[in-house]
Amino acid sequence: MTGDRYTVISADCHAGADLVDYKPYLDKRHHDDFDAWAATYVNPYEDLLADTADRNWNSARRLAELEADGIVAEVVFPNTIPPFFPSASLMAPAPSKAEYEQRWAGLRAHNRWLADFCDAAPGRRAGVAQILLNDVDEAVREIRRTQAAGLTGGILLPGAPPGSGVPELYSRTYDPIWAVCAELDVPVNHHGGSASPPLGDEPAARAVFMVETTWFSHRALWHLMFGGAFRRHPGLRLVLTEQGSGWIPGVIDMLDYYHARLVAAATRASTAESKFGAGLAGSMGSSPSEVWRDNCYVGASFMRPHEVPLRDRIGLDKIMWGSDYPHDEGTAPYSREGLRIAYAGLPREEVAAMAGGNAARVYGFDLAFLDPLAAKAGPLVAEIAEPLPPARIPPDATSPAFAPGGSVRVW
């Protein structure tokens, strides 16, 4: 932060190329298939057909809108449709064998495009590379390539929901992925909405999705913990993004309970539960709360007021605020108001950490470079310190951060 302004880094933003603009980033052998696919593809997302869709790829517009919103840097997750995908890659099911080669080509095209997009704003974008889990060696090669190409946001860990056809995330199959991320010191990101199984088209499907989607995203945490990934790769860092943060203390307590219970049971061979904890102490090494302390972070996105009092239990050094630009549920163009709702009255060093300092440390942003930008565009410390009266909530704000009654929710 500067003397009187915060340096705000959004740890949760989204971008992607317009559909046809991915073609130059594809290997030429896929061009004919791409032309045939693109000619008949119908985009299922209204926001990607609207006149505001170019916020995903128009670098100048994006920089201007983020600066107007008080934000000087961003972590960039995917948003638009990569080649050969039926829907956004965050939501698309794991590919079948027949789809696999083309889907990989599509993700590589996105990663190449994203490297150029980040180069258009040096020091201000940390691009998150995409991989598939079907071929671990191929994933490792892509991780090395994208890191060398300048994508500093690490990787987006795909979900492995039931029925996906790939091993569960606790499997040692993925050790080469954890190893290369630890070696290169890039975070493994797991984004909300990316791990739910297909739910069909029944009328209740959307409601069930809302109830279950964050739980399916949370699963990556206990899969990697109980699978021992952090013991075998102590430098591995996991970031859970846009999944809320209020759930974390309770879930860590629950995981500690099961860990202690199962480890204790394993020492008593006569108990019915002993087999469930066999080998767990050796494979995990540390307890879940210790793993959280040493290896895990939360991209808390538009943090709600009820989550803020839990910051010490979550870990003040773990929390990274995000605007979710350009999504409708994001705080733009009212991120200053969103920050006031969440952080008014807190010590300025705590706000500075959650609003930008932690993200700079996790994703490698240079605060010495960003602070002069924030001196012009960042929100005033005095402004964020003032609580936002309900009457001052912008009537056209669409983010859940502004929803009444949100303070009683804990997930």
Side-chain angles (χ1 to χ4, degrees), residues 79-168:
N79 197 43
T80 61
I81 313 296
F84 308 116
F85 275 69
S87 58
S89 54
L90 271 177
M91 304 295 297
S96 67
K97 289 183 179 179
E99 298 165 332
Y100 174 71
E101 182 181 359
Q102 286 189 335
R103 294 276 187 93
W104 246 127
L107 290 191
R108 286 195 190 91
H110 172 82
N111 292 341
R112 292 165 181 152
W113 174 88
L114 183 59
D116 283 352
F117 188 68
C118 292
D119 283 345
R124 301 184 67 175
R125 293 174 180 148
V128 179
Q130 296 191 79
I131 61 170
L132 290 172
L133 297 176
N134 305 60
D135 185 328
V136 169
D137 291 339
E138 193 66 32
V140 168
R141 283 191 287 271
E142 185 66 2
I143 292 166
R144 290 193 181 279
R145 190 197 67 77
T146 54
Q147 194 268 350
L151 295 186
T152 58
I155 66 164
L156 177 62
L157 178 63
S164 66
V166 298
E168 295 280 5

Side-chain angles (χ1 to χ4, degrees), residues 237-248:
R237 294 179 294 156
L238 176 68
V239 181
L240 303 171
T241 297
E242 203 178 330
Q243 305 175 31
S245 61
W247 58 276
I248 292 169

Side-chain angles (χ1 to χ4, degrees), residues 217-276:
S217 296
H218 300 343
R219 290 175 81 227
L221 176 64
W222 51 81
H223 276 232
L224 268 66
M225 282 182 170
F226 285 120
F230 300 102
R231 182 192 66 78
R232 296 188 298 276
H233 311 284
L236 182 65
R237 294 179 294 156
L238 176 68
V239 181
L240 303 171
T241 297
E242 203 178 330
Q243 305 175 31
S245 61
W247 58 276
I248 292 169
V251 165
I252 296 299
D253 287 347
M254 177 194 72
L255 297 177
D256 270 349
Y257 163 75
Y258 276 106
H259 175 261
R261 172 179 162 182
L262 294 173
V263 167
T267 66
R268 299 188 294 274
S270 60
T271 67
E273 210 169 57
S274 62
K275 61 180 180 294
F276 291 99

Side-chain angles (χ1 to χ4, degrees), residues 198-222:
L199 293 173
D201 299 320
E202 294 293 324
R206 286 178 180 263
V208 171
F209 173 82
M210 287 298 295
V211 171
E212 295 181 347
T213 185
T214 51
W215 183 87
F216 275 106
S217 296
H218 300 343
R219 290 175 81 227
L221 176 64
W222 51 81

Side-chain angles (χ1 to χ4, degrees), residues 304-306 341 388-391 393-395 397-409:
R304 278 79 157 181
H306 73 274
I341 286 176
L388 184 71
I393 294 175
T398 55
S399 172
F402 301 106
S407 61
V408 300
R409 289 168 32 190

Side-chain angles (χ1 to χ4, degrees), residues 308-327:
V308 177
L310 298 171
R311 64 193 183 279
D312 289 329
R313 292 182 63 196
I314 297 167
L316 186 63
D317 61 332
K318 306 291 183 184
I319 299 168
M320 299 179 288
W321 179 89
S323 71
D324 200 27
Y325 176 94
H327 288 167

